[in-house]
Amino acid sequence: VLNVVVGAFVATSNQIAADDREAMIKYETERLGRYTERIKGFFKDADVDKSGTLSWEEFRAHLHDPKVKAYFQSLELDVS
């Protein structure tokens, strides 16, 4: 009887661990997607003339925006 209980416990524990892994993978994938969209938005916002390319002047000017600086600081990136 004890072997059956231990076996059921181990099986349940393995299933919970597998579910946790799947949930963690899903969470990290979604987080990466949100981060990617924010970075794309950063470059799109920096493209002031909407040419589809980003000049060094546009990039530099965008980095001087206080909101952009704050965002990069929140990512622990120094843009000074």
Side-chain angles (χ1 to χ4, degrees):
V1 173
L2 184 59
N3 285 341
V4 172
V5 172
V6 169
F9 176 78
V10 170
T12 301
S13 296
N14 286 339
Q15 184 59 47
I16 290 170
D19 291 346
D20 283 349
R21 268 192 304 276
E22 289 300 317
M24 186 172 55
I25 290 168
K26 182 180 177 188
Y27 170 78
E28 287 299 322
T29 302
E30 290 171 354
R31 190 175 70 83
L32 180 60
R34 288 189 304 271
Y35 178 78
T36 301
E37 289 304 313
R38 279 187 244 134
I39 295 298
K40 283 183 188 177
F42 164 81
F43 287 108
K44 188 176 180 181
D45 292 345
D47 182 18
V48 177
D49 64 4
K50 307 298 180 205
S51 65
T53 59
L54 189 60
S55 70
W56 179 247
E57 291 78 22
E58 288 174 318
F59 183 72
R60 188 178 313 146
H62 197 58
L63 288 179
H64 286 11
D65 181 330
K67 290 181 182 179
V68 173
K69 283 184 178 182
Y71 175 66
F72 277 101
Q73 285 176 345
S74 74
L75 298 174
E76 298 181 6
L77 297 173
D78 182 14
V79 294
S80 58

